[in-house]
Amino acid sequence: MPAAVDQPHAHKHKRALTALSDMGHQGDQTRSARRYVSMAAAVAAVGGLLFGYDTGIIASALIFVTKTFSLSTAGQEWVAASLNIGAVFGALLSGPISDRWGRRPAIMVAAGIFIAASVGCGLAPNVSTLITARLWLGAAIGATTQIVPVYVAELAPASRRGGLVSLFQLVFSLGLLLAFFVGYELSGGAGAWRAMFMLGAIPAMLLGLGMFFLPESPRWLLHHEHEPRAVSILYKLRGHKDLVRQELDDVLTVDHKEQTASEGSGLNQRWIRPALIAALGVAAFSQLSGPNVIVYYAPIILSQAGLVHSAALLTSVSVGVTSTITTAMGIALIDKVGRRRMMLTMLPMAALSLFLLGAVFLSSAPLAGGRLVLMVASLLGYIFFNFGSLSVAVWLIAAEVFPLCIRSKAMGLASATVWLSDTLVSLVTLSLVEALGTTGTFWLFGLINVAAFVFVWKYVPETAGTTLEEIESALRSGTFYTSIGRQTAPHRS
């Protein structure tokens, strides 16, 4: 390899090791480092709360918005869909920003936009202003879904990365529950929707303020030649010189390969294709498999099937509680059991639950007795098995399989895939119920869960316990499916 190419890398490595040796007097701080990583992940995960709250609050607010502005059906659809449209653009455009200016500043900018857009929604004098504000709100949420998982993945050690990144999905579930209770408590007057939207600014303030006290991604800093700062942060995150030295060697070696490679840093490189297939496939199936059909439309579908409205709403609340519990369970197990194994174990059960749920509605008789029990059990069983697998893994897989040189751009593409798939499902679900019936619709989504199982089995490797640099090395060597693809237990701390 030419000396001119090796020399900058050697200087970078030397500066990093010099910075590390200057910290040699510090002892073992692994306990405090573990707490520091957990705190950073928890603060960043507040972005998931924003995601969940504004996804859920529109269900309560739209009733009052419609009365205030006398909206037509098309107007209601635009108010609801504007968030998703903005999220697609936010996810795609935030990658270059976080690559250039850093993960931490990008999250803070997203939080600022979220605050302004939440206030804008609440103060909107007309429907055009409301739609515009919700487009910006969506852009902030889309950016958050792109940046936060990448940021946490780059901070976390390999042995804890799954649980810490998946906190984002848990807090999303909590945001949905919060939106339900806020919508219920504030549903008194015609102008209640204004307070519903404006309250979303509070967690955004907490996110922006919290990020002031959190570090930049050490991997981003090393890539941009800020070695002393990167080493200092990495020591706070790992707490032991040997762990820092090992990670520095891994990151700098991979960074050197990126800078000396001739293939560039675009998404169309052949060696990156397996990661794109795995991440974008999981992103699409996380929505096409139907979780938001249940979250958004369960009360409507169940009411149309003969269940009284109050019982349908109660079932919807049970769905929210179950999704939160099962996401917490998934976070606790995903590093021990593995991402791939959890999905392969639980997706068949999710499909079976939907097939049983569809069978319940073969009869047009009112839901009662054993059929009612089976309906609730199947519904909650689907939420348990789907949310505990695909929904837990979706942000994690995308955040960890891509190499550093394209991680933000590729994660933006994965996030946009989630939002586009969510939009598609939201637009066609009620039409599917009309065309196929309740039974046919649930069976169709059951088949999609089967297809998701086949996809995971064929294209998604096991990444639990594997460092981000080991995953990138496997991609470059063409062993993405073999060298890491069948591991089931962590092997690195």
Side-chain angles (χ1 to χ4, degrees):
M1 198 169 291
V5 175
D6 277 344
Q7 192 172 10
H9 171 69
H11 285 320
K12 180 184 285 192
H13 209 152
K14 183 178 180 180
R15 288 194 299 267
L17 294 180
T18 300
L20 181 61
S21 65
D22 291 341
M23 305 182 73
H25 62 282
Q26 300 189 38
D28 188 342
Q29 300 176 17
T30 50
R31 284 191 176 182
S32 61
R34 186 178 178 87
R35 289 194 296 269
Y36 187 55
V37 172
S38 298
M39 179 192 71
V43 171
V46 174
L49 186 69
L50 304 178
F51 177 18
Y53 180 83
D54 269 279
T55 299
I57 199 63
I58 189 62
S60 299
L62 192 56
I63 300 171
F64 302 102
V65 172
T66 300
K67 293 179 180 178
T68 300
F69 297 125
S70 301
L71 294 182
S72 63
T73 300
Q76 294 177 54
E77 290 173 344
W78 272 106
V79 170
S82 56
L83 186 88
N84 286 35
I85 296 170
V88 172
F89 288 99
L92 292 174
L93 297 176
S94 58
I97 294 173
S98 68
D99 275 341
R100 180 166 185 175
W101 301 109
R103 319 305 194 207
R104 178 173 169 267
I107 295 174
M108 294 169 71
V109 169
I113 293 173
F114 204 105
I115 293 169
S118 295
V119 174
C121 286
L123 298 178
N126 52 57
V127 69
S128 298
T129 304
L130 177 60
I131 290 173
T132 301
R134 279 184 60 78
L135 281 168
W136 280 102
L137 198 63
I141 293 176
T144 301
T145 60
Q146 181 272 321
I147 306 166
V148 170
V150 167
Y151 174 71
V152 177
E154 292 182 348
L155 257 61
S159 61
R160 300 180 62 204
R161 190 174 62 240
L164 292 176
V165 174
S166 297
L167 273 176
F168 186 81
Q169 183 66 27
L170 174 62
V171 180
F172 164 76
S173 296
L174 292 174
L176 281 177
L177 280 178
L178 178 63
F180 170 79
F181 287 115
V182 168
Y184 178 78
E185 290 294 329
L186 296 182
S187 59
W193 61 273
R194 297 186 182 276
M196 294 179 191
F197 285 133
M198 293 180 74
L199 282 174
I202 296 176
M205 291 177 187
L206 295 177
L207 176 62
L209 181 63
M211 292 304 299
F212 272 110
F213 302 98
L214 295 186
E216 182 53 85
S217 160
R219 285 174 169 81
W220 184 90
L221 290 170
L222 286 170
H223 187 68
H224 289 79
E225 301 184 358
H226 300 291
E227 292 84 4
R229 188 177 166 203
V231 171
S232 175
I233 291 171
L234 202 52
Y235 205 99
K236 289 181 180 179
L237 294 168
R238 301 295 178 263
H240 196 283
K241 188 174 182 179
D242 292 343
L243 296 175
V244 175
R245 174 62 184 267
Q246 180 184 14
E247 197 156 329
L248 280 175
D249 288 342
D250 290 345
V251 175
L252 289 172
T253 298
V254 169
D255 188 60
H256 178 51
K257 290 179 180 178
E258 289 180 356
Q259 293 184 10
T260 56
S262 59
E263 67 268 20
S265 59
L267 293 174
N268 60 347
Q269 300 169 70
R270 186 179 183 87
W271 66 277
I272 292 173
R273 196 172 302 161
L276 281 171
I277 292 172
L280 299 187
V282 170
F285 275 117
S286 73
Q287 303 304 310
L288 297 179
S289 59
N292 286 341
V293 172
I294 306 300
V295 171
Y296 296 157
Y297 296 121
I300 296 174
I301 294 173
L302 296 177
S303 295
Q304 291 176 350
L307 200 64
V308 296
H309 188 62
S310 59
L313 286 174
L314 183 60
T315 303
S316 185
V317 175
S318 300
V319 166
V321 173
T322 302
S323 68
T324 303
I325 293 173
T326 192
T327 303
M329 179 208 70
I331 289 173
L333 294 177
I334 199 164
D335 282 315
K336 298 175 183 177
V337 176
R339 297 86 158 113
R340 173 184 165 88
R341 180 183 286 181
M342 280 186 64
M343 288 188 284
L344 292 181
T345 300
M346 300 180 79
L347 278 172
M349 301 304 296
L352 178 61
S353 297
L354 286 177
F355 292 142
L356 289 174
L357 186 59
V360 168
F361 294 101
L362 283 172
S363 171
S364 59
L367 288 169
R371 285 180 62 234
L372 179 60
V373 172
L374 181 59
M375 183 277 292
V376 173
S378 301
L379 189 69
L380 299 185
Y382 165 74
I383 289 295
F384 182 88
F385 292 113
N386 185 280
F387 271 70
S389 54
L390 275 177
S391 294
V392 169
V394 56
W395 305 112
L396 172 60
I397 295 293
E400 62 186 5
V401 298
F402 294 117
L404 180 62
C405 62
I406 63 153
R407 187 169 293 141
S408 283
K409 288 185 289 186
M411 183 66 194
L413 186 59
S415 179
T417 301
V418 170
W419 284 103
L420 285 170
S421 301
D422 180 23
T423 302
L424 175 63
V425 170
S426 300
L427 290 174
V428 305
T429 295
L430 294 181
S431 297
L432 283 174
V433 173
E434 289 182 5
L436 304 177
T438 305
T439 294
T441 300
F442 285 133
W443 282 358
L444 174 61
F445 284 108
L447 289 173
I448 295 174
N449 277 263
V450 172
F453 169 85
V454 174
F455 177 86
V456 171
W457 177 77
K458 188 171 183 179
Y459 293 111
V460 180
E462 182 55 73
T463 53
T466 309
T467 68
L468 299 178
E469 288 66 43
E470 287 170 339
I471 295 171
E472 180 167 345
S473 295
L475 276 170
R476 288 184 176 276
S477 64
T479 58
F480 186 64
Y481 298 121
T482 55
S483 66
I484 65 170
R486 295 296 181 264
Q487 296 172 25
T488 56
H491 69 279
R492 289 282 298 270
S493 62

